[in-house]
Amino acid sequence: MKIRKYRYCILAVIVVAIILLAGGHQMPKYVSRLIAIALLAVVDMLYWLAVKKFITGRFNNVLIAAYWLPLIFLLLFFIAGIPAPNNQWPAFPRIYFPGILLILLIGKGIFLTILIAGDIILIPTNLIRKIRSRKIFRNRKWYRPGIFMKIGAALAAFVMLMYVAGMFLWVRDFKLNVVEIPVKNLPVEFDGYKLIQISDIHLGSFLTDKPVQKICSLVNEQHPDVILFTGDMVNFTTSEAYPFENVMKQFAAKDGVYAILGNHDYGEYSSWDSPELKHQNDLDLFAFYKRIGWQLLRNENSIIRRDSASLAIIGVENWSKSKRFGKKGDLKRALAGAESTQFKILMSHDPSHWDAEVNRLYPEIELTLSGHTHAFQLEVEICKINWSPSAWLFKEWAGLYEKTQAGGLKQYLYVNSGAGTLGYLGRIGTRPEITLLVLRRAD
């Protein structure tokens, strides 16, 4: 028995070492998270000593495999990253492996959470058991009824099935949201002006160009006046966009296609052998935008005119309230030369920019378009309740928001839920979105 315990301790040390060392190689910027993951892995292994007592019968081998599969997949993910990081893997494992791993870890997390919650609830019972064991109970072992395991397993299985369903039912079911924006004093020349917003397409998450072609067809069928792309063309590196170049050239609008950079477009989620290589990745992305005919706005603007009326398309580089994503955007610089335009549209990838700076310092910007949140690729809408885990991180996370300034002037923010996916190749309760925004003159 002692030898077995020592073996188990050695195994736990090996698991922690793999997570910290191999994981540190795969995810060099997330060392603190790796420490937390290693601690959770130890908790996972410790709970096996309690769980295995309940695993009996003809399906015991299947249940044993199900318990250990999430941890095994996690270790494989980190080990496979030693010869090559995830972003350098072939397309199929690069796209699907992280999503499958996420589903397994979510299921395991739910299962362990129920068990731990059960243990906490039963602390008083076990204290009484320990004190009065000779009078009431037969032994002093920790009392842990099997009902918590059954509830945890059932709930985990249900959630995992929902995530699997999300990989097939909603992930390519593109939705066109039509939103009318009432604008006081909008020049009559721009009444009915149609803007298409696309965001977070994440080309590196597509195996073929068929879904992108579907997006393009849906967009072009609306005959938009202008197309605005609010960032995150790729996941890790510019090379992910190359297989889709011909399709991206097919997007068409009367006044052109404008784009900004998202946090994933800077190559900061990849390891580079030198700053020069990272810089070349940036240059390659800029060149890609030129080849497909999209005008990339990097803290600058473009003015669209209709006779004597004017509308400004303003694009800033990624600006986030979070230190993690940084503040590359310079809105003052981006506005230069567009101050006298009669209507201003700002493209800013991260919606936290709107409340933190835009509506506080720039009331003249009537409409801001953002993306970034993906609505967490998970949304629950029941009756009048509309919720997503995005709400934990973002004050504005999907849809249309407005704020009334002094004098009755209204500012609008629209947060697009994204056309693509990241990490988990699926969506639950929220479809990939294309937005048609129509400007309407309001009295």
Side-chain angles (χ1 to χ4, degrees):
M1 181 65 70
K2 289 184 178 181
I3 294 176
R4 288 183 180 179
K5 288 185 178 180
Y6 286 135
R7 286 180 179 176
Y8 205 72
C9 290
I10 293 171
L11 182 60
V13 171
I14 293 172
V15 167
V16 170
I18 291 174
I19 292 173
L20 295 180
L21 298 178
H25 179 78
Q26 174 85 294
M27 305 165 59
K29 293 185 178 181
Y30 301 99
V31 176
S32 59
R33 297 186 186 184
L34 290 173
I35 294 173
I37 291 172
L39 291 174
L40 290 173
V42 172
V43 171
D44 181 21
M45 296 178 72
L46 288 174
Y47 261 88
W48 168 249
L49 299 176
V51 171
K52 68 178 183 178
K53 299 174 183 177
F54 294 90
I55 297 180
T56 57
R58 54 190 299 189
F59 298 108
N60 61 329
N61 290 332
V62 175
L63 296 175
I64 291 170
Y67 187 92
W68 288 107
L69 199 60
L71 182 57
I72 291 172
F73 263 60
L74 179 66
L75 297 179
L76 286 175
F77 177 76
F78 288 141
I79 293 171
I82 294 175
N86 170 253
N87 62 289
Q88 297 177 14
W89 294 0
F92 191 86
R94 172 173 53 80
I95 293 171
Y96 281 97
F97 193 99
I100 293 171
L101 174 61
L102 179 65
I103 293 172
L104 291 172
L105 292 178
I106 288 174
K108 190 59 167 293
I110 292 172
F111 178 72
L112 289 178
T113 299
I114 298 296
L115 290 187
I116 293 170
D119 282 348
I120 293 173
I121 292 171
L122 292 170
I123 286 176
T125 301
N126 280 285
L127 286 175
I128 295 172
R129 181 184 178 90
K130 185 175 182 65
I131 296 170
R132 304 179 62 187
S133 59
R134 294 181 181 179
K135 296 181 180 180
I136 300 176
F137 301 100
R138 294 182 180 181
N139 56 60
R140 298 183 182 182
K141 293 182 180 179
W142 186 269
Y143 175 59
R144 184 182 286 114
I147 186 64
F148 289 103
M149 182 181 297
K150 292 176 182 178
I151 293 173
L155 185 58
F158 173 76
V159 172
M160 291 170 70
L161 285 173
M162 285 294 295
Y163 269 87
V164 172
M167 298 176 70
F168 300 97
L169 298 181
W170 300 289
V171 68
R172 298 292 178 255
D173 186 16
F174 298 101
K175 172 180 65 174
L176 179 71
N177 272 347
V178 181
V179 180
E180 292 195 352
I181 307 292
V183 182
K184 190 176 182 180
N185 299 324
L186 178 73
V188 66
E189 292 86 349
F190 287 104
D191 186 22
Y193 194 78
K194 295 194 294 184
L195 306 91
I196 283 283
Q197 183 193 6
I198 315 168
S199 194
D200 299 85
I201 199 165
H202 289 283
L203 291 175
S205 296
F206 293 105
L207 278 175
T208 71
D209 64 1
K210 289 183 179 180
V212 185
Q213 184 66 64
K214 190 175 180 180
I215 295 171
C216 182
S217 297
L218 182 60
V219 168
N220 290 346
E221 286 170 3
Q222 311 312 313
H223 304 290
D225 291 294
V226 69
I227 297 173
L228 304 178
F229 176 69
T230 46
D232 276 0
M233 178 72 76
V234 299
N235 296 345
F236 300 106
T237 64
T238 301
S239 60
E240 297 167 7
Y242 295 155
F244 306 93
E245 186 168 327
N246 289 333
V247 179
M248 301 304 284
K249 290 178 180 178
Q250 297 173 24
F251 286 85
K254 297 174 186 176
D255 293 323
V257 184
Y258 296 87
I260 57 172
L261 299 174
N263 55 299
H264 279 268
D265 294 324
Y266 294 93
E268 294 178 350
Y269 296 90
S270 297
S271 298
W272 301 96
D273 293 333
S274 68
E276 290 76 18
L277 287 175
K278 182 181 180 304
H279 179 61
Q280 185 59 50
N281 180 75
D282 295 339
L283 296 178
D284 291 341
L285 184 61
F286 303 155
F288 177 80
Y289 272 110
K290 287 184 178 180
R291 292 199 301 273
I292 64 175
W294 294 21
Q295 185 173 342
L296 183 63
L297 300 177
R298 302 176 58 208
N299 296 325
E300 53 193 323
N301 65 76
S302 181
I303 299 174
I304 297 172
R305 301 186 185 278
R306 293 285 190 274
D307 298 327
S308 60
S310 58
L311 177 152
I313 306 295
I314 304 159
V316 294
E317 298 209 38
N318 194 54
W319 194 106
S320 175
K321 188 176 180 180
S322 170
K323 292 182 180 179
R324 176 185 171 192
F325 299 114
K327 295 176 175 60
K328 298 180 177 66
D330 186 337
L331 187 46
K332 183 178 180 180
R333 176 183 164 192
L335 270 167
E339 294 88 350
S340 62
T341 53
Q342 293 156 295
F343 188 78
K344 298 174 180 63
I345 301 170
L346 171 66
M347 294 191 292
S348 183
H349 180 68
D350 192 314
S352 66
H353 190 193
W354 187 66
D355 191 55
E357 184 181 46
V358 178
N359 63 30
R360 296 175 186 271
L361 303 176
Y362 298 91
E364 68 271 25
I365 296 177
E366 292 95 337
L367 176 60
T368 299
L369 303 179
S370 298
H372 185 57
T373 70
H374 294 222
F376 235 68
Q377 294 169 214
L378 169 62
E379 188 173 349
V380 178
E381 190 170 354
I382 302 175
C383 297
K384 295 183 179 181
I385 299 175
N386 188 23
W387 177 85
S388 164
S390 290
W392 293 334
L393 301 175
F394 299 95
K395 184 178 178 181
E396 297 86 15
W397 53 271
L400 184 66
Y401 302 85
E402 67 176 73
K403 182 174 182 178
T404 303
Q405 299 283 4
L409 180 66
K410 287 188 176 182
Q411 286 183 290
Y412 294 95
L413 165 70
Y414 192 88
V415 183
N416 184 291
S417 296
T421 60
L422 182 68
Y424 161 60
L425 190 68
R427 285 176 174 264
I428 302 173
T430 174
R431 293 160 58 191
E433 177 184 3
I434 309 300
T435 311
L436 171 61
L437 298 114
V438 184
L439 302 183
R440 294 295 184 190
R441 183 180 173 87
D443 297 329

